[in-house]
Amino acid sequence: MHSDSLFFRPVQREDKDRIIAFTFNTWGDNDDDYIKDVFDDWLADPRGEFTAAVIDDQVVGIAKLTDMGDDEWWFEGLRIDPVYRRRGIASEFNRYHVAL
């Protein structure tokens, strides 16, 4: 992966179908993921950022950074499309969210 092709931006409503598709089998055995249940709430949450990792105009990962108050932050829901795993995207997510 070329690091200049990866960028982060807030998740957009139009990303939902793509995100639900690559998170569906996160836990294996064709089990769906809770991301579909929290997507709309995370999108509307003003306390942090629901972030998309994007390569070549395609969302390849997501994570949610939530402000819990008292200088406490929660990094949750990190998911990387299986096709894009093992490329350092999760590490870049961590760096991006720490910088926020």
Side-chain angles (χ1 to χ4, degrees), residues 47-61:
R47 299 173 312 141
E49 184 176 286
F50 185 19
T51 308
V54 179
I55 296 175
D56 296 330
D57 296 322
Q58 178 165 277
V59 175
V60 298

Side-chain angles (χ1 to χ4, degrees), residues 25-42:
N25 201 31
T26 296
W27 311 116
D29 298 326
N30 288 320
D31 288 330
D32 60 353
D33 195 324
Y34 72 87
I35 299 299
K36 68 175 176 35
D37 300 324
V38 298
F39 184 94
D40 294 327
D41 291 338
W42 284 2

Side-chain angles (χ1 to χ4, degrees), residues 9-22 39-40 43 50 52 57-59 62:
R9 64 161 171 76
V11 169
Q12 301 167 356
R13 186 157 307 284
E14 306 83 61
D15 299 327
K16 187 173 186 176
D17 288 343
R18 166 83 180 122
I19 291 167
I20 300 309
F22 75 74
F39 184 94
D40 294 327
L43 195 63
F50 185 19
D57 296 322
Q58 178 165 277
V59 175
I62 58 164

Side-chain angles (χ1 to χ4, degrees), residues 48-100:
E49 184 176 286
F50 185 19
T51 308
V54 179
I55 296 175
D56 296 330
D57 296 322
Q58 178 165 277
V59 175
V60 298
I62 58 164
K64 174 72 166 73
L65 182 67
T66 301
D67 181 357
M68 303 298 288
D70 297 326
D71 290 329
E72 183 177 346
W73 294 84
W74 185 13
F75 181 58
E76 60 184 315
L78 176 63
R79 304 288 188 274
I80 306 298
D81 180 334
V83 174
Y84 290 87
R85 290 181 186 160
R86 315 277 313 152
R87 299 184 189 194
I89 297 170
S91 295
E92 291 300 321
F93 251 122
N94 188 52
R95 282 189 268 284
Y96 175 82
H97 278 170
V98 167
L100 283 180

